[in-house]
Amino acid sequence: MAVPTASLPENVVHDISREASLPAPDPPADSSTAALVNGYSPYMVATYVRPPPVMVRGEGCYLWDIENRKYLDFTAGIAVNALGHCDPEMAKLLSQQVGSFPRTIMSVMETYTQQARTLVHASNLYHNAWTGELSKLIVTKTRESGGMQSASKVFVCNSGSEANEAAIKFARKVGKIRDLSGNKVELVSFHNSFHGRTLGSLSATPNAKYQKPFAPMLPGFKYGTYNDEGAIKDLVTDKTCGVIVEPIQGEGGVHVAKASFLQALRDRCNEVGAVLIYDEIQCGLSRTGTLWAHGSLPASAHPDILTTAKALGNGFPIGATMVTEEVAKCIVTGDHGTTFGGNPLACRLAHYIVSRLSEPELQREVLEKEKIFRKGFERLRVLYSDLITEVRGHGLILGLQLTQDPTLIVTAARERGLLIITAGTNTLRFVPPLIISKDEIEEGLSILEEALKVAQIRPHDTTGTKGQQEMAPPGR
């Protein structure tokens, strides 16, 4: 029997109509999803503002929530799931099974238990079969790809922040060896950068909104303007031990470093004896169509240290810091370490992932898929010229610069079955799985167009969710 909506409050009528018209409406306040979230929220530190859905399953480029709503994922866990969700071969490695493996998703406990029958952790006091294999593979594939031709050794850790902490410490140690006066300790980074949340990496992330609550920052950090070649000489001095820079700023708004800027940084570092660090945690591992985002640069612009994480584990926690022999010889036993970093479980998975992501065919397809995205974005830019001002990025790390807060668009897209995130100031960020198909790209672009239309014409139809990025811009 139909409900006589005329007798219901206007807001209830609106909610009923809205849910009936959307393929994936956000769960309402009286839903089982909301009850679940409300039940555990009192026990969680509120470090994120999350939208209502609770994700419980993933496969390929799709996620499903607890109420079986399906979402096409253009976020890849913030550039993490480069091989998509629940890659079958990863599950096979986790489960230690031999022979054919069905495309089903085993529970985390099952897979962990199976791997635990071999070896998960023995500490870095002992050798294991996979840390060295992974380190060798990363160095070898890096050199073969045309990136960091002086790559020599790898320190394996657990996350991007840890990889950058290691890079910062290594740069400081090199500085102390090169200048016995102890004055060569300054580290240079750039505005709109994001290098992590631990105190060292946060000190290299000049965002007052996030530094102020934890001030004072570590001493010795200086900040410059990204792509400003003219300021490099005064910024990088004889007191500089290291410069850390993202070849593509992800969190800062998908800004691409000019080749001449990176070359100028390399030249100035050579002049003053500083270490050059490329943070490729978000833009590396074939997201730009080459193994590393700097891979198209001449060897004269390559770094002394490169940091990676995110896609390195495709969802499993792992990070790495790759260094030249010149840097490596400055680090001795006891200078640095990690309890869990380099464990055989993480390294075995990462070995498979690096092998897959370094495949030339996958990298060629990334550039072909970029063309499809750009063609769609340009069409939308023409249709919504008052809203979209610029398309930025390279490969499958792309951004749409908007003239207004994109929160409503993010919400409208999600409720139509597409997950997208933001970056910088008024920027939509697109970092889908690298395995995404052309049809899935077209599907997502179609939903995005609907979201742009709804957000522009009927903004009251979306409630908005702040915080859909790792580091929101000041003022949010």
Side-chain angles (χ1 to χ4, degrees):
M1 182 177 178
V3 177
T5 56
S7 64
L8 297 175
E10 184 178 346
N11 66 314
V12 174
V13 174
H14 178 268
D15 288 345
I16 292 173
S17 174
R18 182 166 164 273
E19 287 195 34
S21 65
L22 294 172
D26 282 345
D30 60 352
S31 65
S32 58
T33 295
L36 178 67
V37 172
N38 293 337
Y40 60 58
S41 290
Y43 304 98
M44 297 175 63
V45 177
T47 52
Y48 283 87
V49 178
R50 298 177 174 92
V54 174
M55 302 305 177
V56 295
R57 184 165 67 91
E59 183 175 355
C61 296
Y62 292 92
L63 286 170
W64 285 263
D65 70 13
I66 200 169
E67 298 184 32
N68 207 36
R69 295 177 176 89
K70 182 180 180 181
Y71 305 87
L72 176 57
D73 187 7
F74 273 12
T75 76
I78 317 180
V80 168
N81 300 104
L83 296 178
H85 297 283
C86 298
D87 176 76
E89 287 300 316
M90 276 192 67
K92 181 178 177 180
L93 291 174
L94 278 165
S95 67
Q96 291 283 284
Q97 290 180 353
V98 178
S100 61
F101 185 80
R103 291 182 65 87
T104 57
I105 301 170
M106 302 175 67
S107 72
V108 172
M109 187 56 69
E110 276 185 291
T111 57
Y112 187 83
T113 301
Q114 291 284 346
Q115 176 62 28
R117 293 172 185 166
T118 305
L119 182 65
V120 173
H121 176 79
S123 90
N124 281 300
L125 298 177
Y126 310 100
H127 294 289
N128 72 68
W130 288 102
T131 310
E133 285 294 332
L134 173 62
S135 299
K136 178 181 178 181
L137 183 69
I138 292 174
V139 169
T140 301
K141 291 298 183 182
T142 294
R143 290 175 175 173
E144 289 176 357
S145 72
M148 196 175 172
Q149 290 302 287
S150 297
S152 176
K153 291 179 171 59
V154 176
F155 169 75
V156 184
C157 54
N158 305 286
S159 68
S161 284
E162 288 181 56
N164 281 337
E165 288 286 343
I168 290 168
K169 287 180 68 175
F170 294 172
R172 280 270 173 92
K173 182 71 185 295
V174 171
K176 289 183 179 296
I177 289 174
R178 290 179 177 176
D179 183 352
L180 298 180
S181 72
N183 293 324
K184 198 173 189 63
V185 296
E186 291 183 348
L187 281 129
V188 170
S189 61
F190 296 90
H191 294 290
N192 293 317
S193 64
F194 177 77
H195 299 294
R197 297 178 181 275
T198 50
L199 197 56
S201 58
L202 183 61
S203 296
T205 302
N207 186 321
K209 180 179 174 66
Y210 290 93
Q211 288 187 346
K212 187 175 180 180
F214 308 104
M217 293 292 102
L218 297 182
F221 284 80
K222 294 172 63 178
Y223 310 126
T225 301
Y226 198 68
N227 277 328
D228 185 354
E229 296 172 41
I232 290 176
K233 186 174 182 180
D234 292 333
L235 184 67
V236 181
T237 70
D238 289 333
K239 293 183 178 180
T240 304
C241 67
V243 175
I244 184 167
V245 61
E246 299 161 277
I248 300 178
Q249 290 185 330
E251 292 297 321
V254 193
H255 298 284
V256 181
K258 294 184 293 186
S260 57
F261 174 66
L262 296 177
Q263 182 68 67
L265 282 178
R266 173 73 275 175
D267 293 343
R268 184 57 176 164
C269 284
N270 290 344
E271 290 173 4
V272 301
V275 168
L276 179 61
I277 306 162
Y278 284 170
D279 177 345
E280 295 220 20
I281 290 166
Q282 186 162 160
C283 63
L285 288 172
S286 296
R287 186 154 288 278
T288 60
T290 53
L291 185 61
W292 302 113
H294 76 274
S296 60
L297 297 176
S300 61
H302 289 184
D304 302 291
I305 300 176
L306 181 142
T307 58
T308 181
K310 286 191 179 286
L312 184 61
N314 205 63
F316 200 92
I318 187 170
T321 306
M322 182 163 53
V323 301
T324 63
E325 184 61 34
E326 187 72 16
V327 172
K329 70 182 184 181
C330 295
I331 309 303
V332 299
T333 302
D335 277 349
H336 197 51
T338 170
T339 296
F340 299 109
N343 70 77
L345 174 58
C347 289
R348 185 179 183 187
L349 292 172
H351 189 279
Y352 158 71
I353 292 160
V354 172
S355 298
R356 281 281 309 277
L357 293 179
S358 59
E359 293 174 356
E361 181 60 27
L362 180 145
Q363 294 168 350
R364 284 192 292 269
E365 289 179 356
V366 166
L367 297 178
E368 289 301 313
K369 293 166 186 176
E370 177 190 5
K371 293 177 184 177
I372 300 172
F373 268 108
R374 284 190 175 274
K375 182 179 178 181
F377 288 159
E378 287 301 329
R379 190 179 73 83
L380 293 175
R381 191 175 66 83
V382 172
L383 287 174
Y384 299 96
S385 57
D386 58 334
L387 179 60
I388 301 172
T389 62
E390 186 182 7
V391 180
R392 292 194 296 267
H394 185 44
L396 291 180
I397 175 169
L398 299 167
L400 286 184
Q401 185 60 50
L402 307 181
T403 57
Q404 66 184 50
D405 188 324
T407 302
L408 299 180
I409 297 168
V410 171
T411 304
R414 183 177 64 248
E415 295 197 310
R416 285 155 180 81
L418 175 68
L419 300 179
I420 51 178
I421 50 176
T422 62
T425 302
N426 297 341
T427 306
L428 286 175
R429 177 174 28 157
F430 301 85
V431 282
L434 304 189
I435 62 161
I436 193 168
S437 70
K438 295 178 181 179
D439 288 343
E440 288 166 341
I441 296 173
E442 295 290 0
E443 176 189 349
L445 289 172
S446 177
I447 298 173
L448 177 61
E449 183 173 354
E450 287 184 51
L452 290 168
K453 186 185 303 181
V454 168
Q456 192 171 53
I457 298 174
R458 297 197 306 276
H460 61 277
D461 281 1
T462 58
T463 56
T465 300
K466 299 287 187 182
Q468 293 298 286
Q469 64 190 87
E470 288 191 274
M471 294 286 275
R476 287 228 177 156

